[in-house]
PDB file of all heavy atoms in Angstrom:
ATOM      1  N   GLU A 602      98.154  95.337  39.422  1.00  0.00           N
ATOM      2  CA  GLU A 602      97.302  96.274  38.690  1.00  0.00           C
ATOM      3  C   GLU A 602      96.697  95.618  37.457  1.00  0.00           C
ATOM      4  O   GLU A 602      95.514  95.831  37.139  1.00  0.00           O
ATOM      5  CB  GLU A 602      98.121  97.501  38.278  1.00  0.00           C
ATOM      6  CG  GLU A 602      98.525  98.393  39.434  1.00  0.00           C
ATOM      7  CD  GLU A 602      99.393  99.546  38.986  1.00  0.00           C
ATOM      8  OE1 GLU A 602      99.796  99.552  37.800  1.00  0.00           O
ATOM      9  OE2 GLU A 602      99.680 100.434  39.813  1.00  0.00           O
ATOM     10  N   GLU A 603      97.517  94.818  36.758  1.00  0.00           N
ATOM     11  CA  GLU A 603      97.023  94.174  35.541  1.00  0.00           C
ATOM     12  C   GLU A 603      95.949  93.139  35.865  1.00  0.00           C
ATOM     13  O   GLU A 603      94.956  93.012  35.134  1.00  0.00           O
ATOM     14  CB  GLU A 603      98.177  93.513  34.791  1.00  0.00           C
ATOM     15  CG  GLU A 603      97.772  92.934  33.452  1.00  0.00           C
ATOM     16  CD  GLU A 603      98.969  92.540  32.596  1.00  0.00           C
ATOM     17  OE1 GLU A 603      99.995  93.221  32.678  1.00  0.00           O
ATOM     18  OE2 GLU A 603      98.851  91.547  31.861  1.00  0.00           O
ATOM     19  N   GLN A 604      96.125  92.381  36.958  1.00  0.00           N
ATOM     20  CA  GLN A 604      95.121  91.396  37.343  1.00  0.00           C
ATOM     21  C   GLN A 604      93.809  92.070  37.741  1.00  0.00           C
ATOM     22  O   GLN A 604      92.726  91.600  37.377  1.00  0.00           O
ATOM     23  CB  GLN A 604      95.637  90.544  38.502  1.00  0.00           C
ATOM     24  CG  GLN A 604      96.711  89.541  38.099  1.00  0.00           C
ATOM     25  CD  GLN A 604      97.227  88.746  39.284  1.00  0.00           C
ATOM     26  OE1 GLN A 604      97.957  89.252  40.128  1.00  0.00           O
ATOM     27  NE2 GLN A 604      96.823  87.502  39.352  1.00  0.00           N
ATOM     28  N   GLU A 605      93.905  93.179  38.471  1.00  0.00           N
ATOM     29  CA  GLU A 605      92.696  93.904  38.863  1.00  0.00           C
ATOM     30  C   GLU A 605      91.985  94.474  37.648  1.00  0.00           C
ATOM     31  O   GLU A 605      90.756  94.454  37.563  1.00  0.00           O
ATOM     32  CB  GLU A 605      93.070  95.025  39.836  1.00  0.00           C
ATOM     33  CG  GLU A 605      93.566  94.519  41.187  1.00  0.00           C
ATOM     34  CD  GLU A 605      94.098  95.642  42.062  1.00  0.00           C
ATOM     35  OE1 GLU A 605      94.191  96.784  41.551  1.00  0.00           O
ATOM     36  OE2 GLU A 605      94.436  95.374  43.234  1.00  0.00           O
ATOM     37  N   ALA A 606      92.765  94.986  36.688  1.00  0.00           N
ATOM     38  CA  ALA A 606      92.168  95.524  35.466  1.00  0.00           C
ATOM     39  C   ALA A 606      91.521  94.421  34.640  1.00  0.00           C
ATOM     40  O   ALA A 606      90.456  94.617  34.045  1.00  0.00           O
ATOM     41  CB  ALA A 606      93.229  96.245  34.637  1.00  0.00           C
ATOM     42  N   ALA A 607      92.171  93.238  34.580  1.00  0.00           N
ATOM     43  CA  ALA A 607      91.594  92.117  33.834  1.00  0.00           C
ATOM     44  C   ALA A 607      90.269  91.683  34.443  1.00  0.00           C
ATOM     45  O   ALA A 607      89.333  91.305  33.739  1.00  0.00           O
ATOM     46  CB  ALA A 607      92.581  90.956  33.809  1.00  0.00           C
ATOM     47  N   ALA A 608      90.180  91.748  35.776  1.00  0.00           N
ATOM     48  CA  ALA A 608      88.927  91.392  36.439  1.00  0.00           C
ATOM     49  C   ALA A 608      87.821  92.388  36.098  1.00  0.00           C
ATOM     50  O   ALA A 608      86.636  92.028  36.049  1.00  0.00           O
ATOM     51  CB  ALA A 608      89.132  91.334  37.950  1.00  0.00           C
ATOM     52  N   ARG A 609      88.219  93.647  35.840  1.00  0.00           N
ATOM     53  CA  ARG A 609      87.237  94.652  35.440  1.00  0.00           C
ATOM     54  C   ARG A 609      86.936  94.601  33.952  1.00  0.00           C
ATOM     55  O   ARG A 609      86.030  95.284  33.472  1.00  0.00           O
ATOM     56  CB  ARG A 609      87.743  96.053  35.805  1.00  0.00           C
ATOM     57  CG  ARG A 609      87.886  96.292  37.303  1.00  0.00           C
ATOM     58  CD  ARG A 609      88.092  97.765  37.592  1.00  0.00           C
ATOM     59  NE  ARG A 609      89.265  98.293  36.923  1.00  0.00           N
ATOM     60  CZ  ARG A 609      90.478  98.340  37.468  1.00  0.00           C
ATOM     61  NH1 ARG A 609      90.668  97.860  38.692  1.00  0.00           N
ATOM     62  NH2 ARG A 609      91.499  98.850  36.807  1.00  0.00           N
ATOM     63  N   GLY A 610      87.751  93.851  33.203  1.00  0.00           N
ATOM     64  CA  GLY A 610      87.488  93.688  31.782  1.00  0.00           C
ATOM     65  C   GLY A 610      88.058  94.768  30.910  1.00  0.00           C
ATOM     66  O   GLY A 610      87.601  94.986  29.792  1.00  0.00           O
ATOM     67  N   ARG A 611      89.068  95.485  31.376  1.00  0.00           N
ATOM     68  CA  ARG A 611      89.711  96.506  30.545  1.00  0.00           C
ATOM     69  C   ARG A 611      91.179  96.614  30.929  1.00  0.00           C
ATOM     70  O   ARG A 611      91.569  96.211  32.024  1.00  0.00           O
ATOM     71  CB  ARG A 611      89.020  97.867  30.705  1.00  0.00           C
ATOM     72  CG  ARG A 611      89.045  98.438  32.122  1.00  0.00           C
ATOM     73  CD  ARG A 611      88.380  99.812  32.114  1.00  0.00           C
ATOM     74  NE  ARG A 611      88.428 100.433  33.412  1.00  0.00           N
ATOM     75  CZ  ARG A 611      87.510 100.279  34.354  1.00  0.00           C
ATOM     76  NH1 ARG A 611      86.464  99.485  34.114  1.00  0.00           N
ATOM     77  NH2 ARG A 611      87.603 100.891  35.516  1.00  0.00           N
TER      78      ARG A 611
END
Side-chain angles (χ1 to χ4, degrees):
E602 290 177 352
E603 185 168 326
Q604 287 178 287
E605 292 173 353
R609 295 192 302 268
R611 61 178 183 271

